[in-house]
Amino acid sequence: MAIPNTRRRESIFDNPIGSFRGVNSLTRFADSYSRSVNFHGNKIFESKLAGDRAYFDEDGEELVDPETFVPSRLGSKISTIFKPNLTSFGEFETGAGAGNGNGTGAGRTGSMYSFGSRLNPITSRTSLLSTGIKPPNDSTFLKTIEDSNGKNITVIAGESTLPQTVFNSVNIMIGIGLLALPLGLRHAGWMFGLPFLSLCAFSTFQTAELLSKCMDTDATLMTYADIGYAAFGVNARILISFLFSIDLLACGVSLIILFADSLNALFPSISVLRFKFVAFLILTPFTFMPLRVLSMFSLLGVMSTISVIITVISLGLTKSHAPGSLLEIMPTNIYPESFSGILISIGIILSPFGGHSIFPNLRVDMRHPQRFATNLKVTYAITFLADSTMAIIGFLMFGATVKDEVTKSILTTAGYPPFVYILISCFISLVPLSKTPLNALPIVSMLDLICDVNYNNFDLAKKSKFKVKFLRLFNRVLVNLAFVSISIVFPEFDRIIGVMGSSICFTVCLILPCLFYMKLCNTTIRERIICWIVITTSAILAVFGTYAAVAL
């Protein structure tokens, strides 16, 4: 006679708050977010600018960066990162969409492995734990994929679910660029500004899908630089590395300007220049922190940005008189202020939609990459709602008086409760403090590589300890000093955002994805015509927009 199972079914209430199980538990969300921040903070992970996308030593063993697991010519052997007791537990097929890069669609198969034990103790300092990757049961899942040269390369299997990827994508795209959108709308007017904002969202959404289709042609494509290399070789990789470097530099400068302008608006007796030096003194020590700490600290920046949006809307609904009120709006312009105003607005309006450099990494990190199209739809819906809301509300609240940062307009407008000014300043100050070190990290890593003092260098122990420490200290101080120096020479927030939007976003988010798609995929005549229209139009707007942001 069978004895009935009287054991009570386990409930979520049996676990502490915040430790709910399942693929979308809070812990998994934190791990997924940490990985996405690492992707964002390592745009220039390519220590290689030439050669294959995978590297092997003389024994045929793969070399990878221990922190990001990206193939690296100066990386570590997989056997020194993991104990060599991996066990195959299944086969997978990359699908009919995977091909040889020429659109032939030849499927590929590989093996899936699980490392039951963690890392080799001798490399614990640079272990994969520092990247936030902590799969269930303390196991790390890897998969082998055959590249175009017939070699098997090992990559980390994707772990993020669709909700986690949406969360990460939205966090990447909703940044400080939206603070300048009310000014962009003022320059462009209602008639041009709102349609162009919608067009930017739609066109960048389409090109993000093109990148995803490019990745379907070759299962070994992991990063934006990989796609460029597969399409146009080493020259594309050099161009992409240069563009990402400029993007990170401009982003770091804009964060310094935002920090100084916001505090100067609250304490006008202290000059903006002095606050920029304060930012230098505060931010420099953060560049010495581990990547794992910076990743989690950057969550404060995300929360601060969202809090700013909510606060601006709340202030507009509670203030009864203009300026700065949604109950009594300021006069606005339907038509553009001038032709130069239209050109300046181009880069400002496009800048919030620049997440393409990270999208390939987020797709690779997905548990089900075929659902990436759904991720893009949800991400762009949320992002467009947030950006258009900030643009419209900020323009209605301040009209022609809106400043380059809508938060500066609030800080310089009387009539709000006294605590609001301190609250807004705290939110804005946290954004640079949490994001600038991550933006500096790839540039610092590149300088360490040039100076031959990066941690992946096998001969580092043979070098003078004083020289190594001095050069690493010098590189970190130099990068932060560059941020501050450029922010002093170019102190206008809207112009920096305009340059980023016009020069970087048009190239990375519109022009290059179209070129990659035509090169790697089997395109129809209609698709090629549309791509060339987008490329030509984007190139013209990029040139005029950049000129306007710099010279007008």
Side-chain angles (χ1 to χ4, degrees):
M1 179 177 177
I3 300 175
N5 185 3
T6 59
R7 183 180 180 182
R8 182 175 63 87
R9 178 179 297 177
E10 186 175 4
S11 168
I12 62 174
F13 298 106
D14 294 327
N15 300 300
I17 294 177
S19 62
F20 304 139
R21 297 180 179 179
V23 294
N24 286 314
S25 65
L26 296 183
T27 301
R28 296 290 184 81
F29 260 92
D31 291 344
S32 178
Y33 172 75
S34 181
R35 290 196 301 274
S36 74
V37 173
N38 292 340
F39 293 148
H40 182 63
N42 286 277
K43 291 182 186 177
I44 317 174
F45 7 56
E46 304 287 347
S47 63
K48 56 194 190 315
L49 290 179
D52 296 331
R53 293 196 300 275
Y55 286 99
F56 303 86
D57 66 0
E58 60 277 4
D59 297 325
E61 187 171 354
E62 294 173 73
L63 303 177
V64 297
D65 186 299
E67 290 194 352
T68 62
F69 218 76
V70 171
S72 174
R73 177 169 49 86
L74 300 176
S76 303
K77 297 180 181 180
I78 289 183
S79 61
T80 65
I81 302 176
F82 290 98
K83 291 182 178 179
N85 62 339
L86 71 164
T87 303
S88 175
F89 67 87
E91 301 290 325
F92 70 92
E93 185 172 354
T94 58
N100 57 8
N102 298 320
T104 58
R108 291 213 175 101
T109 60
S111 299
M112 190 80 75
Y113 300 97
S114 171
F115 282 89
S117 57
R118 289 305 294 179
L119 307 170
N120 191 321
I122 65 174
T123 59
S124 60
R125 178 184 58 77
T126 56
S127 70
L128 289 179
L129 288 175
S130 66
T131 67
I133 302 176
K134 189 179 181 182
N137 302 323
D138 204 31
S139 296
T140 295
F141 296 102
L142 306 176
K143 61 182 180 182
T144 61
I145 298 176
E146 183 181 334
D147 66 8
S148 57
N149 296 322
K151 293 183 178 180
N152 289 330
I153 63 174
T154 306
V155 296
I156 294 179
E159 297 182 61
S160 294
T161 63
L162 178 61
Q164 292 165 356
T165 307
V166 169
F167 178 78
N168 296 331
S169 300
V170 170
N171 288 338
I172 294 297
M173 293 190 65
I174 295 183
I176 60 173
L178 59 80
L179 299 180
L181 284 177
L183 180 65
L185 197 56
R186 190 199 82 185
H187 283 310
W190 294 108
M191 178 172 289
F192 178 81
L194 286 182
F196 186 67
L197 182 67
S198 303
L199 180 62
C200 288
F202 175 77
S203 57
T204 53
F205 167 76
Q206 295 293 331
T207 53
E209 287 195 323
L210 295 186
L211 286 178
S212 182
K213 292 179 180 178
C214 289
M215 297 185 72
D216 287 335
T217 64
D218 190 336
T220 66
L221 300 179
M222 302 293 166
T223 68
Y224 193 100
D226 282 347
I227 300 175
Y229 180 80
F232 298 106
V234 65
N235 291 331
R237 175 174 287 158
I238 295 174
L239 173 63
I240 291 168
S241 296
F242 173 77
L243 290 174
F244 287 175
S245 301
I246 298 298
D247 182 32
L248 290 170
L249 186 63
C251 187
V253 171
S254 64
L255 288 168
I256 297 292
I257 296 174
L258 181 64
F259 176 86
D261 286 354
S262 300
L263 290 181
N264 174 256
L266 185 63
F267 304 104
S269 60
I270 304 177
S271 66
V272 173
L273 180 62
R274 190 167 297 179
F275 276 121
K276 289 179 180 179
F277 284 117
V278 170
F280 170 76
L281 295 176
I282 295 176
L283 293 173
T284 300
F286 280 87
T287 56
F288 292 90
M289 290 186 175
L291 186 59
R292 173 70 173 177
V293 176
L294 293 178
S295 300
M296 299 312 299
F297 185 61
S298 67
L299 186 60
L300 291 177
V302 175
M303 297 171 61
S304 298
T305 304
I306 297 174
S307 299
V308 166
I309 299 174
I310 296 174
T311 303
V312 171
I313 297 174
S314 301
L315 293 177
L317 294 174
T318 55
K319 194 171 188 287
S320 57
H321 300 290
S325 172
L326 289 173
L327 304 178
E328 184 182 345
I329 62 176
M330 291 284 287
T332 57
N333 51 296
I334 298 178
Y335 303 101
E337 294 178 329
S338 61
F339 181 69
S340 61
I342 295 179
L343 297 181
I344 293 174
S345 69
I346 290 174
I348 296 176
I349 293 176
L350 179 62
S351 63
F353 301 101
H356 289 55
S357 57
I358 312 299
F359 283 154
N361 304 84
L362 296 180
R363 184 185 187 274
V364 169
D365 192 51
M366 290 189 71
R367 182 170 296 193
H368 304 290
Q370 66 272 17
R371 303 188 68 186
F372 187 70
T374 304
N375 163 72
L376 289 177
K377 293 177 182 177
V378 178
T379 298
Y380 269 85
I382 296 173
T383 303
F384 179 72
L385 178 63
D387 292 339
S388 58
T389 299
M390 178 61 78
I392 293 171
I393 287 179
F395 192 30
L396 291 175
M397 289 173 63
F398 298 100
T401 65
V402 68
K403 300 183 182 298
D404 50 358
E405 305 148 27
V406 67
T407 50
K408 187 195 295 186
S409 297
I410 292 177
L411 293 172
T412 55
T413 300
Y416 295 114
F419 73 89
V420 166
Y421 303 100
I422 298 178
L423 186 65
I424 288 287
S425 296
C426 290
F427 286 151
I428 294 301
S429 299
L430 281 175
V431 175
L433 292 179
S434 61
K435 291 190 174 183
T436 304
L438 276 175
N439 286 324
L441 189 60
I443 304 177
V444 169
S445 299
M446 183 173 62
L447 291 177
D448 285 347
L449 185 67
I450 293 174
C451 297
D452 204 23
V453 292
N454 60 306
Y455 278 134
N456 290 339
N457 184 1
F458 298 125
D459 297 325
L460 190 62
K462 301 178 183 179
K463 298 180 178 295
S464 168
K465 291 184 178 180
F466 174 79
K467 180 181 178 181
V468 170
K469 291 181 178 179
F470 173 79
L471 289 175
R472 291 179 62 81
L473 172 64
F474 177 78
N475 290 339
R476 281 148 182 77
V477 173
L478 179 64
V479 171
N480 285 284
L481 188 61
F483 289 159
V484 174
S485 301
I486 297 175
S487 71
I488 295 173
V489 178
F490 302 100
E492 296 172 300
F493 181 79
D494 59 322
R495 291 189 180 274
I496 296 295
I497 296 297
V499 170
M500 291 173 63
S502 296
S503 60
I504 303 298
C505 288
F506 269 117
T507 305
V508 174
C509 303
L510 292 171
I511 296 176
L512 290 181
C514 289
L515 291 174
F516 296 160
Y517 181 68
M518 289 191 294
K519 181 70 174 181
L520 297 177
C521 301
N522 291 325
T523 56
T524 63
I525 296 178
R526 178 176 176 273
E527 288 176 330
R528 297 183 72 85
I529 291 175
I530 294 175
C531 284
W532 279 116
I533 292 175
V534 172
I535 292 170
T536 304
T537 305
S538 298
I540 295 173
L541 293 178
V543 171
F544 283 103
T546 304
Y547 170 77
V550 173
L552 298 182

